[in-house]
Each structure stands twice: as C-alpha cells, then as structure tokens.
Amino acid sequence: MQTRTGGAAAAVTTLALLMTACGDSGSDDSGGGQDSQVTVAALPLTDSAALYIARDRGLFKKEGLDVRIQPVQQSIQALPTLSKGQVDVIASANYVTFLQAQEKGTLDVRILAEGVRTAPHMMDVLVPKDSPIKNADDLKGKKVAVNILNNIQTLTLDAILEKQGAGKPAYRQIAFPQMGAALEKGQVDAVHVVEPFDSAIQSDLKAKVLIDGAASPVESLPISGYVTTARYAKQNPDTVAKFKRAIEAASKIADEDPSAVRKVVPTYSKVKAAQAKSMGLPAYPSKTDADQLRRLTELMRKQGLLKKAVDPSTLVVK
C-alpha cells in the first residue's frame, strides 16, 4: 500500500531529504567478508513494526548486523535507490510496486521475508462523519484517495467492491500523511488508508469506517515485505540470511505480543501512544509462504496489474 509517483531523479531527491539515519552501531563484523552494515528504507507504517522491534531488542546485533534505518514516505520512492545499491533492503515494500518492477525488468527483486498480511481494520475506507455515502454502492464514481494509483489499495478495494456487486470509485493519488487534510477539505469523498493513519484520521476528524479494507476476498492477503535485489542477495548470502532470521524473530514477537507493536509504532510514526492502543493491526507472519503470495499475484493478473503469471517461489530467498 503505497504511493507513489514522480520521476526517478525527483524520488531520489525526496528520499535524500527524508533520510535520517538512526541505526545501531558497534556491531561485530561476522559476515565472512560480507558487509555487516545493512541500510534499510522503511515507511512509517505498522508494516515496519518488526524492523523496529528487531532493532530495539538487539536482534540485528545478535546476528552481527549494523542496520541503518532510513525513513521514506512511499516505497516507490526507494525503488530507484534500491536499484542503484544506495539502500540494501526496503521494509514494508508493497508487493504490487515491486512485482511490477520485476515484470518490467527494471528491478530483479528478491523477497527476504514477508512484512504483513491483511487483518480486520488494519486499513479502512473512511468517510466524513456527515457523509451521505452510506454503503459500498454509494462509492461508485466518488473520489477515493489511495496512496498509489493501480496498487495494493486499488487492487484490494476493487476486489471487495466486485464481490459486493458495487461499482468502482474514481481514485485520486494522495500520500497517507495528507489524506486527513484532503478528506477534511472535501477534496475527496473518502480515503482508503492504512494504520497508523487510519486511527489518526478517525480520532482527529471523527471519520466513519465505511468498508473494512481487509474484507473478503482479500482477507489474510500478503501485502508487503522486505525486499532486496537479486544482485545483493547473491553477493551477500550470509548477511541476508542473518537479516531474514532477525526479521522473522521480530515478526514472531509482533504476532504473539500485539502490545510490542503498539509500543513501538509511536516511536517512528506520528501516531500517538493513545491511538496506538486501539488501532487495527495487520498480521505479522514469521515465515514466508509462496502459496499465500500466489493469491496476490493471481489477483494482480486478474486485474491487469501483471501481464504474465508469476511463480512467487522463484523470488523468495530461502
């Protein structure tokens, strides 16, 4: 679920302005000649919780890794920097963007670990408290904000609306942090927004939930992950194995102890601690399942976001 546009040069500039290194230091170099420092671009979403849990609980250090986190607002902004080797991994990378880049040949992607899967109300379609839009049918032709056009949000919402027999809205691309203002000013009729922005908009504007963005048929659907390039994975097999272990251990913590997620999210996003206590959380799988990823690629192909069938198992780093 992410955004998303602009040329590569502009994206790199934006990313550079947003980057604020906040990584760990003092780690051991036990990478057998490989680089123990890993630079990770991450979005301020609940999708990234395992990354910060791994950092804060020393799981990266335990593996001998020095992980530097560089915040970015949209994963598509980090795509050119990943391609050029300026970052090593993108956390909370929405799969649609990167699978499309893979198909187009602009980036040879490898998936290190799953990020999150959909779970009830981890993303919602919100309308103003006094909106005349009362149900899915009312959305037909209405202006709905999504972070990136023709991406994970439009993919999942179109699937939900199709199952409910409702027509499609007119999507508008607005970055998550600006969605609340756009809804308040009437620039859009609804916003399709993920946590933690979801809870923030509901709290600040008293916006109403119109549709659970994780409703059938997209329940438990893999939507984001930790991705790198085939080149980096090939050149640094020990490093990526260590990174993968640390993230999977952190995802296990996030899955078993939601309070760990609610505690860490306010430390890297604008969500307030009080809001974090009640926000809807995604699912954090501790293992990557190619069969579940296939549900996503088949849905993408059905909606024309992929031209050819993709075997996700060929992209997952073992």
Side-chain angles (χ1 to χ4, degrees):
M1 24 213 140
Q2 288 95 6
T3 278
R4 326 190 166 225
T5 58
V12 171
T13 300
T14 303
L15 176 62
L17 292 172
L18 291 168
M19 286 177 173
T20 304
C22 51
D24 301 315
S25 60
S27 60
D28 297 328
D29 184 357
S30 54
Q34 298 177 43
D35 193 354
S36 64
Q37 180 173 309
V38 182
T39 304
V40 183
L43 282 76
L45 307 176
T46 51
D47 302 40
S48 302
L51 175 70
Y52 289 90
I53 288 173
R55 183 195 67 180
D56 294 349
R57 299 202 178 193
L59 300 179
F60 291 130
K61 284 186 176 178
K62 181 180 178 182
E63 295 286 352
L65 297 179
D66 178 7
V67 172
R68 307 297 175 95
I69 301 175
Q70 298 181 340
V72 59
Q73 295 303 310
Q74 299 171 336
S75 62
I76 199 169
Q77 294 174 343
L79 192 154
T81 59
L82 179 66
S83 178
K84 295 175 182 176
Q86 295 168 333
V87 300
D88 304 312
V89 177
I90 299 179
S92 48
N94 82 79
Y95 287 133
V96 172
T97 293
F98 291 89
L99 289 171
Q100 288 180 324
Q102 175 78 22
E103 183 175 70
K104 292 175 182 176
T106 55
L107 187 69
D108 196 1
V109 173
R110 291 297 180 271
I111 299 170
L112 299 179
E114 279 196 48
V116 300
R117 297 179 188 171
T118 57
H121 297 294
M122 50 78 64
M123 58 182 177
D124 291 307
V125 176
L126 304 179
V127 295
K129 60 182 180 181
D130 56 353
S131 173
I133 299 174
K134 304 298 183 184
N135 52 52
D137 285 336
D138 294 338
L139 272 185
K140 183 179 180 180
K142 294 296 192 297
K143 292 179 288 187
V144 176
V146 293
N147 201 29
I148 299 179
L149 296 175
N150 300 316
N151 212 280
I152 194 71
Q153 291 178 286
T154 57
L155 178 81
T156 52
L157 183 55
D158 282 348
I160 292 170
L161 294 175
E162 180 183 20
K163 183 165 184 177
Q164 296 185 16
K168 294 183 179 180
Y171 292 111
R172 297 288 184 271
Q173 181 167 300
I174 297 175
F176 287 130
Q178 281 77 54
M179 283 188 181
L183 189 67
E184 186 174 29
K185 294 176 181 177
Q187 295 171 343
V188 292
D189 301 297
V191 295
H192 190 200
V193 62
V194 302
E195 293 285 17
F197 303 102
D198 188 346
S199 288
I201 293 174
Q202 289 187 59
S203 176
D204 295 344
L205 305 182
K206 309 304 177 188
K208 298 184 300 183
V209 176
L210 182 71
I211 297 173
D212 177 0
S216 179
V218 299
E219 67 275 24
S220 300
L221 186 73
I223 54 176
S224 70
Y226 295 82
V227 303
T228 187
T229 62
R231 180 183 64 247
Y232 183 83
K234 182 178 181 180
Q235 294 176 348
N236 301 276
D238 291 342
T239 300
V240 299
K242 293 173 181 176
F243 184 87
K244 181 181 178 74
R245 281 198 298 269
I247 287 297
E248 289 179 346
S251 293
K252 189 172 187 295
I253 292 172
D255 178 60
E256 295 177 347
D257 181 13
S259 67
V261 177
R262 299 185 190 283
K263 181 178 180 181
V264 77
V265 169
T267 67
Y268 66 82
S269 74
K270 292 184 178 180
V271 72
K272 300 173 183 176
Q275 295 169 337
K277 292 180 180 178
S278 59
M279 65 182 179
L281 298 180
Y284 296 89
S286 58
K287 296 295 181 184
T288 304
D289 188 333
D291 288 336
Q292 291 299 316
L293 288 169
R294 192 167 290 107
R295 290 178 58 209
L296 175 70
T297 58
E298 290 176 351
L299 183 59
M300 287 178 64
R301 192 177 182 198
K302 179 182 178 182
Q303 293 193 13
L305 297 184
L306 284 177
K307 295 179 180 178
K308 301 177 182 177
V310 174
D311 180 2
S313 66
T314 63
L315 304 179
V316 175
V317 175
K318 306 300 182 185

